[in-house]
């Protein structure tokens, strides 16, 4: 638990300097890697979030102009979330330093330890 908290604090501090929470950054990265837009339920599933949490974070991102939410024309019950040009620019600017921070945090592990940790995390997340 201490290790997880240390990693989380270190990564969060880096993102906070860019005005993002880890959750907000996660949304932006998932949307970026998905081609720019996803249904809210798909986004929730990929992040492992509740409906309330996903709605709250995407609403805040929308207020910042980083995503746009819209109802699907064919099914008004379905919400789509798309990254805006401003959001995409922010990801492009922040991601390199974020990746560096993550690398620094895990630099204490050798390659075999990193593979073992990744394997254990996959098992626990299944």
């Amino acid at each position: 638990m201490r290790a997880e908290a240390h990693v989380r604090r270190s990564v969060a501090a880096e993102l906070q300097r860019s005005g993002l929470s880890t959750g907000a950054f996660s949304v932006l990265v998932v949307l970026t890697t998905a081609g720019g837009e996803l249904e809210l339920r798909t986004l929730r599933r990929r992040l492992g979030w509740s409906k309330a949490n996903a709605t709250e974070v995407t609403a805040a991102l929308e207020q910042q102009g980083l995503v746009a939410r819209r109802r699907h024309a064919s099914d008004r019950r379905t919400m789509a979330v798309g990254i805006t040009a401003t959001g995409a620019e922010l990801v492009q600017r922040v991601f390199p330093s974020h990746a560096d921070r993550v690398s620094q945090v895990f630099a204490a592990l050798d390659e075999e330890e990193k593979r073992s940790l990744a394997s254990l995390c996959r098992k626990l997340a299944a």
Side-chain angles (χ1 to χ4, degrees):
M1 295 296 246
R2 272 191 8 225
E4 185 270 340
H6 170 73
V7 170
R8 193 174 289 274
R9 278 192 309 271
S10 180
V11 171
E14 183 72 27
L15 293 173
Q16 207 61 34
R17 286 190 276 282
S18 298
L20 292 170
S21 67
T22 55
F25 186 68
S26 296
V27 167
L28 296 175
V29 169
V30 168
L31 290 174
T32 299
T33 60
E37 184 174 282
L38 287 172
E39 287 186 8
L40 183 58
R41 74 177 134 205
T42 303
L43 179 63
R44 285 180 28 231
R45 195 171 44 243
R46 289 189 186 180
L47 293 169
W49 287 0
S50 69
K51 185 176 181 178
N53 189 39
T55 299
E56 180 180 334
V57 173
T58 57
L61 286 168
E62 186 174 44
Q63 287 179 336
Q64 295 172 12
L66 302 175
V67 303
R69 298 181 301 165
R70 65 175 178 79
R71 296 275 177 200
H72 273 286
S74 61
D75 184 353
R76 303 292 298 161
R77 298 169 297 172
T78 304
M79 180 71 71
V81 181
I83 193 166
T84 63
T86 303
E89 289 170 17
L90 182 60
V91 170
Q92 292 300 315
R93 190 177 81 245
V94 171
F95 194 83
S97 61
H98 171 73
D100 287 345
R101 169 59 63 199
V102 172
S103 292
Q104 288 171 2
V105 168
F106 287 96
L109 303 177
D110 65 31
E111 292 307 310
E112 179 59 32
E113 290 169 327
K114 289 175 188 174
R115 281 191 291 278
S116 293
L117 178 60
S119 176
L120 292 168
C121 288
R122 280 191 295 276
K123 275 186 179 181
L124 292 172

